[in-house]
Amino acid sequence: MRAFQIKSFDTLPELSHAEMPKPGSGEIRIKTESCGLNFADLLMIEGKYQDTPAPPFTMGMEVAGVIDALGPDTAAPPVGTRVAVFAGQGGLAEYGCFPADRVVELPETMNPTDAAAFQIAYGTSHVALDYKARLQRGETLLVLGAAGGVGLTAVEIGKLMGATVIACARGNDKLEVARAAGADHLIDAKTQDIRDVCKALGGVDVVYDPIGGDQFKAAFRACNPEARILPIGFASGEVPQIPANHLLVKNISVMGLYWGGYLKFRPEIVTNSLRTLLEWYEAGRIKPHICQVFPLEQAADALELLRSRKSTGKVVVTID
């Protein structure tokens, strides 16, 4: 079968031929239809992601397709069931074997492209805002990187939860995407001061931050007393250092959120969240924003679009 693989951290990933995998006990095999890309995929190429496997391995963290085989003694939906899986790796291939307990059955109304773009972005934002930050109706939410894969879902979910949403992104095109997702106020990170704009709007109660760096610092200074800050990632490349004395004075809470980590110690947090999100999808309340779809042969181009920061929402690779 064809698979887009990292052979070593000293070379670029490439499309190559690999053996057809066989599912072990507790696993299912999926005939892959689509795979969503994430910023974490770029970190994996350099061996910098916290859950990077040892090479060689097949890239692709979130997968949608059809179950085509079950491993021995495996309790799972039957062969032929349409499913999505948060895989961690293995999605950019024609077939992949994954833990059966991570399988999410797809509603009939969900197409494979939406399914591949759904789990990580929506799951991260929903668990962050609902379970961790306990975002309340009427509070003000600041979303950094608001046109990106996770940021855009935070805008959408924050608005659904009744918050006033301030979206921060770079350039008018990206800000218009955030406005369409429900943002009430817009900040151009290239030309405007995040702190000044937020303070003029009354300050912020929750900060959703996949960026880090200087934007984190500015957002921190715009926080109201008892604000909650959610570090989601560090797309800027700079991990911010947090002044604990300022946390104390303003009673601010900083809550780290690694969505995939819950699968290891509190999987019900993820499954309950996805159940809610799929209900919202079926009701037409949320809809993944997919910037561009690439075939497997152009997986390298898809990753480059992500790396260039020119994408909005999600980038998806389809496998024929």
Side-chain angles (χ1 to χ4, degrees):
M1 68 171 188
R2 296 173 302 156
F4 193 71
Q5 296 186 317
I6 293 176
K7 301 296 180 64
S8 76
F9 298 131
D10 299 323
T11 60
L12 293 174
E14 60 183 20
L15 189 61
S16 56
H17 290 282
E19 290 187 8
M20 175 75 77
K22 295 182 179 180
S25 179
E27 291 186 329
I28 52 124
R29 186 173 68 199
I30 292 177
K31 185 181 188 302
T32 309
E33 294 181 312
S34 53
C35 179
L37 298 188
N38 297 275
F39 185 76
D41 291 308
L42 300 178
L43 297 178
M44 278 195 182
I45 293 172
E46 301 175 358
K48 294 180 179 179
Y49 188 60
Q50 58 261 31
D51 278 344
T52 302
F57 65 91
T58 298
M59 296 188 65
M61 300 181 70
E62 53 184 333
V63 188
V66 178
I67 296 177
D68 97 313
L70 303 178
D73 303 317
T74 298
V79 170
T81 304
R82 299 176 59 247
V83 296
V85 180
F86 171 66
Q89 60 170 302
L92 288 172
E94 292 178 312
Y95 293 85
C97 292
F98 309 107
D101 59 5
R102 294 191 179 186
V103 165
V104 177
E105 292 189 51
L106 299 178
E108 292 182 5
T109 56
M110 179 174 275
N111 63 62
T113 307
D114 279 359
F118 192 83
Q119 289 187 90
I120 294 176
Y122 278 112
T124 296
S125 293
H126 185 252
V127 171
L129 297 177
D130 183 63
Y131 175 72
K132 292 288 284 189
R134 302 283 195 249
L135 179 66
Q136 300 298 306
R137 181 173 296 276
E139 289 190 313
T140 297
L141 167 67
L142 170 63
V143 180
L144 304 178
V150 292
L152 199 58
T153 61
V155 171
E156 197 174 359
I157 290 173
K159 193 63 181 174
L160 279 175
M161 293 177 68
T164 297
V165 180
I166 305 171
C168 180
R170 298 180 68 83
N172 288 332
D173 290 346
K174 291 187 175 183
L175 288 172
E176 284 307 313
V177 171
R179 187 198 300 276
D184 298 287
H185 305 283
L186 306 175
I187 300 175
D188 189 335
K190 292 195 297 185
T191 61
Q192 294 178 280
D193 186 285
I194 294 171
R195 177 186 178 277
D196 288 350
V197 174
C198 289
K199 281 291 190 182
L201 292 170
V204 297
D205 303 303
V206 176
V207 177
Y208 183 98
D209 178 20
I211 304 298
D214 289 339
Q215 290 193 31
F216 176 95
K217 297 172 187 175
F220 186 94
R221 296 171 64 209
C223 282
N224 292 327
E226 293 195 322
R228 290 87 75 200
I229 304 177
L230 296 155
I232 304 297
F234 311 105
S236 68
E238 180 184 343
V239 178
Q241 303 303 302
I242 301 168
N245 58 323
H246 292 185
L247 296 178
L248 181 152
V249 170
K250 296 179 74 174
N251 290 292
I252 293 174
S253 300
V254 180
M255 305 172 171
L257 191 283
Y258 170 40
W259 179 80
Y262 279 108
L263 291 169
K264 299 176 182 178
F265 64 94
R266 290 286 304 280
E268 72 277 7
I269 299 298
V270 171
T271 54
N272 290 340
S273 170
L274 287 174
R275 189 177 299 114
T276 296
L277 290 165
L278 288 170
E279 289 173 357
W280 286 358
Y281 178 91
E282 287 191 275
R285 301 182 71 191
I286 56 176
K287 171 72 173 175
H289 176 91
I290 297 170
C291 169
Q292 198 163 338
V293 178
F294 293 82
L296 182 60
E297 293 80 9
Q298 296 178 23
D301 296 330
L303 286 164
E304 183 55 37
L305 179 63
L306 205 62
R307 182 181 290 106
S308 70
R309 311 278 178 89
K310 294 179 180 178
S311 61
T312 56
K314 293 288 287 190
V315 177
V316 174
V317 173
T318 57
I319 293 89
D320 296 325

